[in-house]
Amino acid sequence: MNYEAIKKAAEGYKSDMAKFLRDMIAIPSESCEEERVVKRIAAELEKLGYDKVEIDKLGNVIGWMGTGDKIIAIDSHIDTVGIGNRENWEHDPYEGYETDSIIYGRGGSDQEGGMASAAYGAKIMKDLGLIPDGYKIMVVGSVQEEDCDGMCWQSIVNEYFDGPEDARSKIEFVISTEPTDGGIYRGHRGRMEIRVDVHGVSCHGSAPERGDNAIHKMAEIIENVRDLNENPADDTVEIKGLVKMLDPKYNPEHYEDARFLGRGTCTTSQIFYTSPSRCAVADSCAISIDRRMTAGETYQSCLKEIEDLPACKKYAKDVKVSMYMYDRPAWTGHVYETECFFPTWINKESAPHVQALIDAHHALFGDTRLYADDTAKAKREGRPLTDKWTFSTNGVSIQGRYGIPCVGFGPGAESQAHAPNEITWKQDLVTCAALYAAVPMLYKPENKDGSATSFRQELTGNDIR
């Protein structure tokens, strides 16, 4: 394989990828509002000569290169979060600016930059004859990831393909283009969205002792949630902190995987209440908890540790702990209902799909992470080439739920995700497009032995496809 030709081709598309990314950024595309950016992507794929371009019932845009039966997929979610407080942005988040090296705007790193690199990476494969016999490339611009990561791939697996077995039989592996700071990522923590409801009794605020203030009870629970996240795991505290899962004493089977992924976390992310008025005692209060799960934690254990908090036990008859469900309609109007449980996963570094990316990076760029400027260097230098994400991705369904091999390499930086003044680097677009183009010819399916997965979290057992 002519690696210099691949790098030259990717460099030659640098300005095209930058323009394509600027066009996507200029189209606001929050979850469930992606129609215009989906159609812009479809037009780009058609312009690039994809063999087939389609939009599925959920609204994911899918482009195909090649005609084989086996599939190598490249996934990019093309929805973004909102901009938050506009005053925190130094420039227009949708128009922004570009320099010789940087593109500014919402979605550049998270993660429409990945869509630009994937689109042109497959184009380079076609130009240079890099699609192996018997294979085709599936480039996916997926929707609603920011709202419910992985749900888009639940729809793809069960509504585009004919269920998990069919998808696993056809898809060799998926490359996620989520930002990886120049690294090759083989897993990440999972997450779940937990709700705690507390019941109270209202009364006039002038005599609060006549009622039962749900907000006051919830305040104690919130303090306990913070303790669960921040406390150590020794006998000096009543509530042992989540750091305990890094200790073989508490996590004998999976502490090594937990140390690779990092400890679990929890934080109160939302609060709600009901009250007859501002001069009354609140009669209900609820919070949302963002729970990040490391190896060894389960759906049941995460719910039980909230139920077992001292304040939850103190007010047990008035407390309900549950998991959220998701049923928000896509931009097409289609609804795919699912649970807000997003499983943890890790693949072995020796797995052939992971090794294909490592081999491509070594052949193209060497064995250390690349960086475009001092800002990127500060985030990347000294970190191993093969690592993991801090946040979660569509891999929660691809690998975590369905066991379809997944690996990550994408332009941009995790630190830019959801932040004001988001940027991404043009050279990252080039690097990723070149690597994607080289991977299929380096993939060695004969090395599959059924043991690619290092850890995959137990599912809930609920009737969820």
Side-chain angles (χ1 to χ4, degrees):
M1 188 157 41
N2 188 335
Y3 296 106
E4 291 304 315
I6 294 172
K7 289 193 284 187
K8 182 179 178 181
E11 193 67 39
Y13 285 127
K14 185 176 184 178
S15 61
D16 297 282
M17 287 188 283
K19 181 183 184 305
F20 181 31
L21 178 53
R22 294 276 330 253
D23 285 355
M24 287 188 282
I25 289 171
I27 303 170
S29 53
E30 293 180 40
S31 298
C32 307
E33 299 173 6
E34 306 98 336
E35 180 177 5
R36 289 176 57 222
V37 79
V38 163
K39 291 179 177 177
R40 174 63 186 87
I41 292 164
E44 190 78 7
L45 300 184
E46 288 167 356
K47 183 190 82 173
L48 293 176
Y50 275 64
D51 297 316
K52 183 180 181 182
V53 179
E54 56 190 330
I55 297 170
D56 71 8
K57 65 193 299 183
L58 193 72
N60 302 302
V61 56
I62 302 173
W64 296 94
M65 285 285 202
T67 57
D69 294 327
K70 289 289 186 181
I71 297 167
I72 294 173
I74 310 176
D75 176 64
S76 313
H77 78 77
I78 46 81
D79 61 320
T80 74
V81 294
I83 63 171
N85 184 349
R86 175 64 179 82
E87 293 182 0
N88 288 335
W89 291 78
E90 296 173 5
H91 305 275
D92 188 316
Y94 297 115
E95 294 298 331
Y97 67 89
E98 67 176 297
T99 68
D100 288 342
S101 60
I102 287 172
I103 295 173
Y104 175 103
R106 174 56 83 219
S109 274
D110 188 23
Q111 59 114 161
E112 291 168 338
M115 185 70 239
S117 291
Y120 280 83
K123 167 66 170 168
I124 294 167
M125 293 179 209
K126 183 175 182 178
D127 290 345
L128 301 183
L130 299 176
I131 302 175
D133 290 342
Y135 283 80
K136 56 188 171 186
I137 309 301
M138 178 186 187
V139 174
V140 180
S142 49
V143 298
Q144 287 179 266
E145 190 273 351
E146 296 291 5
D147 241 20
C148 188
D149 34 327
M151 183 275 289
C152 47
W153 270 85
Q154 289 177 253
S155 173
I156 289 169
V157 166
N158 292 296
E159 297 179 325
Y160 187 89
F161 293 95
D162 190 21
E165 287 190 22
D166 181 53
R168 280 192 295 267
S169 73
K170 292 173 179 173
I171 302 172
E172 286 289 292
F173 65 94
V174 180
I175 301 172
S176 169
T177 69
E178 287 270 14
T180 61
D181 285 298
I184 295 166
Y185 286 1
R186 59 185 181 94
H188 58 67
R189 296 176 302 168
R191 71 180 188 94
M192 61 188 298
E193 296 175 0
I194 298 172
R195 181 179 171 107
V196 182
D197 286 272
V198 174
H199 176 72
V201 178
S202 64
C203 70
H204 199 284
S206 64
E209 68 278 3
R210 297 173 184 164
D212 184 16
N213 196 313
I215 291 177
H216 289 177
K217 290 190 283 189
M218 185 62 81
E220 295 179 47
I221 294 172
I222 291 171
E223 286 286 346
N224 285 179
V225 171
R226 184 172 66 178
D227 291 341
L228 183 64
N229 186 65
E230 297 180 0
N231 276 1
D234 56 40
D235 293 333
T236 65
V237 292
E238 180 181 8
I239 300 171
K240 287 184 170 55
L242 297 178
V243 70
K244 66 180 181 288
M245 299 305 285
L246 306 183
D247 187 334
K249 175 182 176 181
Y250 299 102
N251 191 14
E253 294 183 24
H254 300 296
Y255 74 92
E256 291 179 319
D257 285 332
R259 289 177 179 180
F260 169 70
L261 291 175
R263 49 160 292 190
T265 59
C266 62
T267 190
T268 304
S269 56
Q270 293 177 318
I271 187 164
F272 317 95
Y273 73 94
T274 60
S275 176
S277 75
R278 287 201 299 272
C279 54
V281 164
D283 54 15
S284 79
C285 190
I287 59 171
S288 302
I289 298 173
D290 178 281
R291 178 65 162 89
R292 304 288 159 154
M293 303 175 293
T294 195
E297 295 176 321
T298 67
Y299 156 75
Q300 292 93 340
S301 72
C302 291
L303 290 178
K304 189 173 188 304
E305 71 195 1
I306 301 299
E307 293 169 343
D308 286 346
L309 292 173
C312 286
K313 294 175 80 171
K314 177 180 177 181
Y315 301 115
K317 68 181 179 60
D318 294 323
V319 174
K320 178 183 177 183
V321 179
S322 61
M323 182 174 63
Y324 279 95
M325 296 292 290
Y326 182 84
D327 61 357
R328 191 177 172 196
W331 69 262
T332 60
H334 182 57
V335 174
Y336 193 103
E337 185 175 6
T338 191
E339 60 193 2
C340 294
F341 173 76
F342 310 93
T344 309
W345 61 279
I346 312 170
N347 276 320
K348 293 179 180 177
E349 190 167 347
S350 60
H353 66 291
V354 178
Q355 199 61 49
L357 270 70
I358 295 170
D359 290 345
H361 197 285
H362 286 180
L364 289 163
F365 312 116
D367 60 1
T368 58
R369 297 189 187 210
L370 301 183
Y371 49 85
D373 61 15
D374 287 342
T375 302
K377 180 179 180 180
K379 300 289 184 183
R380 301 176 184 182
E381 191 173 41
R383 294 171 62 188
L385 178 62
T386 307
D387 207 347
K388 80 285 183 183
W389 283 284
T390 299
F391 56 39
S392 63
T393 73
N394 281 332
V396 296
S397 287
I398 298 166
Q399 173 72 52
R401 187 173 288 275
Y402 299 124
I404 299 168
C406 188
V407 60
F409 188 76
E414 281 191 81
S415 63
Q416 296 298 312
H418 303 188
N421 304 305
E422 181 178 355
I423 61 169
T424 199
W425 293 268
K426 292 181 180 179
Q427 197 58 42
D428 276 4
L429 304 178
V430 173
T431 297
C432 290
L435 185 133
Y436 302 151
V439 162
M441 296 295 284
L442 293 172
Y443 174 61
K444 299 174 181 177
E446 64 272 16
N447 290 342
K448 291 192 297 183
D449 61 5
S451 65
T453 302
S454 174
F455 178 84
R456 186 170 158 225
Q457 190 174 26
E458 176 185 348
L459 303 183
T460 63
N462 296 331
D463 186 21
I464 299 293
R465 293 184 300 157

